[in-house]
Amino acid sequence: MLAVRLDAEMEQELDRLARETGRTKTFYVKEALAHYLADIKDYYDAQDVLNNVKLGKEKVHSSADVRNTLGLDN
């Protein structure tokens, strides 16, 4: 269980959205949190790759090499 305090403006917006769509406020909070968690995971994964590139642990390919390998240089 988690309790979250929202400022008045955010609470009003959430109330309005729930009322107009027939969905619950909980639905929108869970949706927003799911999207945020996916985005932040992607961010941290990208940071890990960037750190590995900087440490020479991750191979880097130029766009020209990729196009050539895929046969896109026509």
Side-chain angles (χ1 to χ4, degrees):
M1 180 62 157
L2 175 70
V4 178
R5 293 189 192 273
L6 303 175
D7 63 41
E9 184 179 327
M10 194 178 290
E11 179 78 22
Q12 289 172 355
E13 184 63 20
L14 190 55
D15 282 336
R16 183 195 60 75
L17 183 61
R19 190 174 49 256
E20 290 179 2
T21 63
R23 300 231 187 221
T24 65
K25 293 188 291 184
T26 298
F27 169 83
Y28 286 110
V29 171
K30 287 169 80 173
E31 280 290 299
L33 185 56
H35 287 282
Y36 173 79
L37 291 174
D39 287 347
I40 200 69
K41 181 187 179 310
D42 288 345
Y43 172 81
Y44 286 124
D45 288 346
Q47 284 295 113
D48 288 343
V49 170
L50 180 59
N51 288 336
N52 286 336
V53 167
K54 289 178 179 179
L55 294 172
K57 296 179 180 178
E58 189 83 30
K59 190 170 180 183
V60 178
H61 304 276
S62 71
S63 61
D65 288 342
V66 172
R67 285 192 307 275
N68 186 33
T69 300
L70 295 174
L72 301 176
D73 283 335
N74 292 334

